[in-house]
Amino acid sequence: MFEPAQLRSFLAVAETLSFTKAAERLGLAQPTVSQHVRKLEAAAKRVLITRDTRDVRLTDNGDAMAGFARTILSAHDAASRYFSGSAMRGRLRFGTADDLAITGLPRILREFRQIYPQINLELTVGQSDQLYKRLNAGQLDLVFVKWVAGAKDGTVVQHDSFSWVGLEQTSLEPGNPVPLIAYPSPSLSRKLAIDALESHGRTWRITCTTRQISGVLAAVRAGIGVAVMPSSLVPEDLKIITRRFDLPPVGDVDFTLIRNPLANAEVIDALTQAIVGRTLKKSA
């Protein structure tokens, strides 16, 4: 009922929210992608995508179809690899920065394991500096980390900026030290936050040190202090308070994939392709 080529085009549009980007990802002409989507909508007898001069959006039926499309294509690809004898095998030691785990990354990894069930995926979650050291020591094959924009070579998945985050009712008294919630040193967000405050003559004090993003969020929600986070990862119940208290800008950040050149390139390429181009929306 649903053609794989049409499902792939639809899914590319659903993930990029752009017919142009979907066509570039698939190596097709944009009219071809549009035709595939129209044919899929005709087969489903539902409107899946709405678009105007500015936006491309999924309808409720489009959201449902995206889930079905991933399942159908995963089964289709698995069957093709099984009967062609080309199922990818191997071991992949993957490390990700703690706060990137609250994005859509777990969903991407789940889909990756469905598509490549014979790849032994080992996951390590930690701070970016620690993961990078383990990569250089040969203990990891691929890491997904946060760096100051442009600071490291690798595949940039998403560009973002750091923001100061607190509760809606957060209050900072003028002249008092900024109460800072931070990861232990070394930590990129901790260093950038302190450097920004000191360069602008603002005093600070650490009110909570935690090794996990869950701890950072819990402390902010408890009103213990403020934290620095990538803007795209700020949960809906917290607020960006940079301008409200004239806090100094912290800088830009890249979410970057960095590979071990000695590891299995085929397996690394497969996971890299699964992550690149996906919207890493926050999930918490």
Side-chain angles (χ1 to χ4, degrees):
M1 182 178 179
F2 301 124
E3 293 293 332
Q6 296 169 14
L7 291 172
R8 292 187 197 282
S9 290
F10 166 74
L11 201 52
V13 174
E15 291 173 353
T16 62
L17 295 180
S18 167
F19 281 82
T20 300
K21 292 180 180 179
E24 292 173 354
R25 178 192 288 191
L26 297 171
L28 300 174
Q30 185 174 327
T32 301
V33 172
S34 298
Q35 184 183 53
H36 284 171
V37 172
R38 286 196 300 271
K39 288 183 176 180
L40 184 63
E41 288 181 322
K45 299 182 176 63
R46 299 286 192 281
V47 175
L48 305 177
I49 292 175
T50 61
R51 56 177 165 172
D52 53 32
T53 56
R54 294 181 301 174
D55 297 315
V56 173
R57 297 183 300 276
L58 294 184
T59 64
D60 290 343
N61 287 316
D63 281 329
M65 179 60 80
F68 289 128
R70 292 187 181 99
T71 300
I72 293 169
L73 291 175
S74 175
H76 180 275
D77 292 345
S80 296
R81 288 191 299 274
Y82 180 87
F83 289 106
S84 66
S86 61
M88 195 180 301
R89 296 172 173 83
R91 177 191 185 199
L92 179 54
R93 299 168 299 172
F94 177 59
T96 180
D98 176 54
D99 47 0
L100 294 179
I102 69 170
T103 67
L105 182 62
R107 182 187 69 253
I108 295 172
L109 295 180
R110 181 174 66 249
E111 294 167 1
F112 178 81
R113 294 188 68 249
Q114 291 172 345
I115 297 172
Y116 301 104
Q118 296 187 61
I119 292 179
N120 181 14
L121 181 63
E122 300 176 6
L123 179 64
T124 299
V125 179
Q127 294 186 36
S128 293
D129 285 328
Q130 297 168 344
L131 294 172
Y132 188 64
K133 289 179 181 178
R134 293 192 62 183
L135 180 79
N136 288 333
Q139 298 171 357
L140 294 172
D141 303 317
L142 180 69
V143 295
F144 192 25
V145 292
K146 306 190 309 296
W147 293 121
V148 173
K152 296 286 185 182
D153 293 331
T155 301
V156 177
V157 176
Q158 184 170 310
H159 182 74
D160 203 347
S161 60
F162 280 115
S163 292
W164 293 92
V165 179
L167 290 171
E168 176 67 39
Q169 58 268 38
T170 293
S171 176
L172 300 182
E173 295 298 327
N176 285 353
V178 175
L180 185 60
I181 298 164
Y183 292 105
S185 182
S187 159
L188 176 64
S189 58
R190 177 192 178 109
K191 181 180 185 304
L192 292 179
I194 293 173
D195 287 349
L197 290 170
E198 293 185 344
S199 67
H200 285 73
R202 301 287 294 269
T203 58
W204 55 273
R205 61 188 177 92
I206 300 294
T207 55
C208 177
T209 301
T210 176
R211 295 185 179 277
Q212 298 179 332
I213 184 61
S214 58
V216 172
L217 296 177
V220 174
R221 287 166 175 152
I224 293 173
V226 299
V228 162
M229 292 180 60
S231 302
S232 64
L233 303 188
V234 178
E236 293 180 358
D237 63 319
L238 301 179
K239 303 297 179 183
I240 293 176
I241 59 171
T242 305
R243 293 183 179 178
R244 188 195 307 178
F245 298 107
D246 194 29
L247 292 166
V250 182
D252 295 334
V253 59
D254 286 337
F255 302 163
T256 306
L257 286 166
I258 305 176
R259 64 174 61 203
N260 181 342
L262 301 179
N264 186 328
E266 183 183 25
V267 173
I268 291 175
D269 286 343
L271 182 54
T272 298
Q273 291 171 11
I275 296 173
V276 172
R278 299 292 291 275
T279 302
L280 294 174
K281 295 179 180 178
K282 56 185 176 293
S283 61

